[in-house]
C-alpha cells in the first residue's frame, strides 16, 4: 500500500508532549504540518518548542541546518479547526476522554475532505467507540505512538470495527515511511503492548504482596536473570504509579474484570498516598536527593559441592546447566533415581534442584526436599539466579545449591518458596497473553513479538520465548499455577492448550 504523499499536509490536534513529538516526526519526514490546539497560544508555543528541539538535533549532528530550516518552513500553527482543511491526515493527541475526542472528530468531518484519514493517538480508549458517531467511520484508525515519539520506534496501527482495510494499510505504510516500526492490531483493550505487558507488572507486585521477595530483589532477578532492561518496580516508578495503575485498571474494566487483569492493591495504595515514583520523589523506591538505591538480596559465598547428580530431561535454556557445571570443574554423574524425577540435578544430600514448574517446592514435600531454580534467558550469560527452597530442604543443601551457582559465576538470590518463582512466572504469563492475542486474531505473531521488543524493550518477544520453551512445560506450568491459585488468573489460554494437545497427539 502506498504511503501518504509527503507533499500533502499532516495536521496534529493537541500540542502537549505527545502532539509535539508526532508533529516533529511528520515534519522531519518531509510533510507540511499544521498544529492546532483549542487553548489560545498553545499551537504557537508548541511550534517554538519543536524549533528548539530541531535546533538541538543540529547541535548533535543528527540533522543539518538546511534540513532544519526546510522543516521549520513547513510548520504552521493553526488558529482554528477550519485551517486544517485540505489535510491528508489528522492525528489527534488531546486528553483521554471519549466525549471530547468524539466531539473533535465530529467537527473535523465538516472541515476536512472525505479522503482525509482521521487518526487517534489514544492509548486506552476504544478506537471503534471514538469513531462510532462519525459519518465516515471507515477512514478512522488508531495510530498509537509511544513517548517520546521522535525517539521510540514503535507505532501501533489499530483497526477499529469499521476501519477500511485500505485505510489501515495506508496508515501503516505512512508510518513506515516516517522511519517508524508499525505493527497492526485489532481494536482490543490495551491494543498490543499495554494488553500483553500486564503480567510483567502484575506478577511482580503479587510476589511482593505475598512476601516472596522485596522490590529490589525482584527487579534484580528480572534484569539479571530474565534479561529485561528494567525491573517492574523501577520501571513503574519511572512511568508514574498513577499512569501505570490507570492503564491496568482501564484494561481490567474493558475486559469485564477478568481475573487475568486484576490490578494490584499495593500499587493502588501507593497512588492513594501520592507516592507516584520519580516525579514525586518516592514510589516503590526513595528517589530523594542523596537516597541510596536499595540492594537486592544476594547470598553470601558458600562452598560448591564436588559432584552433583543429573537426571536427564532438563530442557530449553536449562539444558545447558550440566555442561556448565562440568566446565566449572564439578563432577556430574548420571543419577539412577526414579523416572518421576527426570529433568533435575541432585545435590549430595539427595535434594532435587529443579527448574520451576509452577508448583510450590513445599507443596511437593511428599516427594522429598526440593529447591526450585528460576528460569533464565540464558544461563551462560545471566549474572544472577534465584533459588526457592522447600521448607524441608536442609540448610546445608541450600548452601550447596548456592555454592554451585556461585561456582558458575552467578550471584544468587534465595527467595521464599513461591509457585512459579519470578522469571518463570512472568514469562509464562507473557507467553499466555501473547498466544491468546495471536489465537484471537488481534495481530500476527510477528507483529506481537515486534511490539514487545520495540515497544517495551523485552529481550525476546513472548512468542520467541514460547518457541524457546517446551509447549508441554508451559501448559503444565500454567496448570500447576492454576491449581496453586484457583480462580482463572493462571488458566492457560485455549490456543496454548490446543498447541500442547496437538503436540501430544503427534508423539
Amino acid at each position: 500500500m502506498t504511503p501518504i504523499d509527503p507533499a500533502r499536509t499532516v495536521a496534529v490536534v493537541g500540542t502537549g508532549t505527545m502532539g509535539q513529538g508526532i508533529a516533529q516526526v511528520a515534519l522531519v519526514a518531509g510533510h507540511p504540518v499544521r498544529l492546532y490546539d483549542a487553548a489560545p497560544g498553545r499551537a504557537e508555543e508548541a511550534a517554538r518548542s519543536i524549533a528548539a528541539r530541531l535546533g538541538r538535533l543540529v547541535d548533535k549532528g543528527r540533522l543539518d541546518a538546511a534540513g532544519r530550516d526546510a522543516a521549520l518552513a513547513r510548520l504552521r500553527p493553526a488558529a482554528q479547526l477550519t485551517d486544517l482543511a485540505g489535510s491528508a491526515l489528522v492525528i489527534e493527541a488531546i486528553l483521554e476522554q471519549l466525549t471530547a475526542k468524539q466531539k473533535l472528530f465530529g467537527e473535523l468531518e465538516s472541515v476536512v475532505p472525505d479522503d482525509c484519514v482521521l487518526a487517534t493517538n489514544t492509548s486506552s480508549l476504544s478506537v471503534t467507540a471514538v469513531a462510532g458517531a462519525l459519518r465516515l467511520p471507515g477512514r478512522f484508525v488508531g495510530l498509537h505512538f509511544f513517548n517520546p515519539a521522535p525517539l521510540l520506534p514503535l507505532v501501533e496501527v489499530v483497526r477499529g470495527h469499521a476501519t477500511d482495510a485500505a485505510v489501515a494499510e495506508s496508515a501503516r505504510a505512512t508510518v513506515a515511511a516516517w522511519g517508524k516500526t508499525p505493527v497492526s492490531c485489532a481494536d482490543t483493550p490495551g491494543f498490543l503492548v499495554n494488553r500483553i505487558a500486564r503480567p510483567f507488572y502484575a506478577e511482580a507486585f503479587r510476589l511482593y504482596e505475598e512476601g516472596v521477595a522485596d522490590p529490589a530483589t525482584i527487579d534484580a532477578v528480572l534484569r539479571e536473570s530474565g534479561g529485561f532492561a528494567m525491573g517492574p518496580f523501577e520501571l513503574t516508578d519511572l512511568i508514574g504509579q498513577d499512569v501505570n495503575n490507570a492503564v491496568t485498571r482501564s484494561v481490567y474494566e474493558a475486559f469485564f474484570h477478568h481475573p487475568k487483569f486484576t490490578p494490584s492493591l499495593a500499587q493502588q495504595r501507593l497512588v492513594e498516598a501520592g507516592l507516584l515514583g520519580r516525579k514525586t520523589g518516592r514510589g516503590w523506591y526513595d528517589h530523594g536527593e542523596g537516597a541510596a538505591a536499595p540492594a537486592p538480596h544476594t547470598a553470601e559465598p558458600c562452598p560448591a559441592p564436588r559432584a552433583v547428580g543429573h537426571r536427564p530431561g532438563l530442557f530449553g535454556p536449562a539444558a545447558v546447566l550440566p555442561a556448565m557445571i562440568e566446565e566449572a570443574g564439578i563432577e556430574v554423574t548420571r543419577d539412577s533415581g526414579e523416572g518421576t524425577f527426570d529433568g533435575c540435578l541432585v545435590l549430595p544430600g539427595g535434594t532435587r534442584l529443579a527448574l520451576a514448574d509452577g508448583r510450590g517446592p513445599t507443596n511437593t514435600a511428599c516427594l522429598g526436599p526440593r529447591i526450585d531454580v528460576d528460569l533464565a534467558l540464558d544461563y551462560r550469560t545471566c549474572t544472577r539466579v534465584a533459588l526457592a527452597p522447600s521448607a524441608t530442604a536442609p540448610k546445608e543443601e541450600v548452601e550447596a545449591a548456592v555454592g554451585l551457582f556461585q561456582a558458575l559465576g552467578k550471584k544468587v538470590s534465595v527467595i521464599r518458596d513461591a509457585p512459579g518463582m519470578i522469571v518463570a512466572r512472568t514469562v509464562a504469563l507473557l507467553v499466555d497473553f501473547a498466544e491468546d492475542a495471536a489465537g484471537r486474531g488481534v495481530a500476527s505473531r510477528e507483529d506481537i513479538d515486534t511490539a514487545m521488543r520495540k515497544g517495551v524493550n523485552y529481550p525476546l518477544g513472548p512468542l520467541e520465548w514460547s518457541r524457546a520453551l517446551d509447549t508441554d512445560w508451559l501448559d503444565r506450568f500454567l496448570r500447576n499455577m492454576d491449581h496453586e491459585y484457583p480462580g482463572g488468573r493462571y488458566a492457560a489460554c485455549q490456543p496454548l492448550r490446543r498447541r500442547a494437545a496437538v503436540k501430544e497427539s503427534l508423539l
Side-chain angles (χ1 to χ4, degrees):
M1 184 60 66
T2 305
I4 293 171
D5 188 335
R8 299 197 65 188
T9 297
V10 172
V12 178
V13 179
T15 58
T17 301
M18 182 59 79
Q20 290 180 33
I22 295 170
Q24 180 180 328
V25 170
L27 197 62
V28 171
H31 289 270
V33 173
R34 302 301 305 270
L35 287 172
Y36 174 77
D37 198 291
R42 287 287 299 275
E44 290 80 4
E45 181 183 337
R48 290 191 291 271
S49 295
I50 292 170
R53 281 202 295 272
L54 293 180
R56 289 193 289 272
L57 290 180
V58 172
D59 294 341
K60 295 176 181 179
R62 298 177 183 172
L63 181 69
D64 59 38
R68 174 200 58 197
D69 294 343
L72 292 178
R74 297 191 299 271
L75 178 63
R76 293 174 58 198
Q80 50 197 5
L81 274 182
T82 52
D83 292 339
L84 307 186
S87 299
L89 169 64
V90 180
I91 304 175
E92 163 273 318
I94 66 172
L95 72 166
E96 287 288 87
Q97 188 179 90
L98 179 60
T99 54
K101 292 179 189 291
Q102 288 175 326
K103 180 176 183 294
L104 168 66
F105 284 110
E107 293 172 351
L108 280 168
E109 272 205 308
S110 65
V111 171
V112 299
D114 285 356
D115 67 345
C116 176
V117 176
L118 300 179
T120 176
N121 183 60
T122 184
S123 61
S124 61
L125 298 176
S126 163
V127 170
T128 301
V130 177
L134 293 182
R135 176 173 56 86
L136 298 173
R139 60 161 163 183
F140 193 85
V141 68
L143 288 179
H144 180 215
F145 289 76
F146 289 74
N147 195 25
L151 296 180
L152 295 187
L154 188 74
V155 178
E156 294 175 320
V157 181
V158 186
R159 306 181 305 276
H161 185 73
T163 303
D164 290 340
V167 169
E169 286 304 313
S170 177
R172 179 172 178 138
T174 299
V175 167
W178 292 356
K180 296 299 181 182
T181 302
V183 292
S184 299
C185 69
D187 184 16
T188 184
F191 308 142
L192 285 182
V193 171
N194 281 332
R195 170 179 173 154
I196 295 171
R198 292 349 292 161
F200 181 71
Y201 311 107
E203 292 311 302
F205 299 162
R206 183 159 187 167
L207 287 162
Y208 166 75
E209 290 169 347
E210 293 175 357
V212 171
D214 60 278
T217 299
I218 295 172
D219 276 351
V221 170
L222 283 162
R223 283 195 318 268
E224 299 170 34
S225 186
F228 293 93
M230 295 180 75
F233 295 93
E234 57 186 340
L235 181 55
T236 52
D237 265 3
L238 178 63
I239 295 168
Q241 299 304 328
D242 52 340
V243 174
N244 183 262
N245 184 57
V247 172
T248 298
R249 295 189 67 84
S250 173
V251 174
Y252 180 58
E253 295 287 342
F255 275 110
F256 307 108
H257 296 186
H258 195 290
K260 284 181 180 285
F261 298 96
T262 303
S264 162
L265 180 59
Q267 185 182 45
Q268 178 66 25
R269 290 291 180 261
L270 282 182
V271 174
E272 292 169 347
L275 304 178
L276 307 182
R278 289 183 178 274
K279 61 187 175 183
T280 61
R282 186 173 177 184
W284 296 109
Y285 300 117
D286 184 351
H287 301 283
E289 186 176 351
H297 171 76
T298 303
E300 295 295 326
C302 293
R306 284 188 259 182
V308 295
H310 174 217
R311 296 176 187 171
L314 288 168
F315 67 92
V320 74
L321 286 174
M324 290 176 60
I325 293 168
E326 287 185 321
E327 291 163 12
I330 298 170
E331 183 181 1
V332 178
T333 61
R334 185 179 179 91
D335 191 274
S336 59
E338 296 296 328
T340 307
F341 304 141
D342 284 353
C344 67
L345 301 169
V346 184
L347 295 168
T351 298
R352 288 172 293 127
L353 196 57
L355 183 63
D357 64 3
R359 297 177 295 174
T362 299
N363 294 351
T364 60
C366 61
L367 303 177
R370 172 178 144 189
I371 300 172
D372 275 0
V373 182
D374 206 354
L375 182 66
L377 175 67
D378 184 335
Y379 284 99
R380 284 194 177 278
T381 60
C382 75
T383 57
R384 184 179 296 271
V385 170
L387 303 176
S390 67
T392 57
K395 180 174 179 291
E396 59 271 19
E397 291 280 79
V398 175
E399 292 174 350
V402 170
L404 176 65
F405 281 98
Q406 288 173 339
L408 303 183
K410 316 300 178 189
K411 297 175 184 176
V412 178
S413 291
V414 178
I415 65 173
R416 211 188 77 186
D417 171 1
M421 301 191 68
I422 299 173
V423 179
R425 184 164 163 168
T426 300
V427 168
L429 265 292
L430 289 173
V431 169
D432 178 71
F433 277 46
E435 290 283 3
D436 183 59
R440 293 176 184 270
V442 172
S444 70
R445 299 178 74 84
E446 179 182 1
D447 274 1
I448 288 171
D449 277 344
T450 298
M452 304 315 290
R453 283 189 281 101
K454 298 286 189 177
V456 277
N457 201 26
Y458 285 179
L460 288 178
L463 298 175
E464 291 177 299
W465 268 108
S466 183
R467 292 190 291 274
L469 298 167
D470 185 271
T471 304
D472 290 341
W473 177 83
L474 284 164
D475 182 55
R476 185 170 63 254
F477 183 98
L478 290 170
R479 287 179 187 274
N480 288 337
M481 289 291 293
D482 191 41
H483 177 76
E484 296 275 0
Y485 300 99
R489 181 182 177 110
Y490 299 101
C493 67
Q494 183 62 31
L496 185 57
R497 294 202 305 269
R498 186 163 54 242
R499 288 183 63 210
V502 168
K503 180 178 177 181
E504 184 177 351
S505 70
L506 295 175
L507 295 178

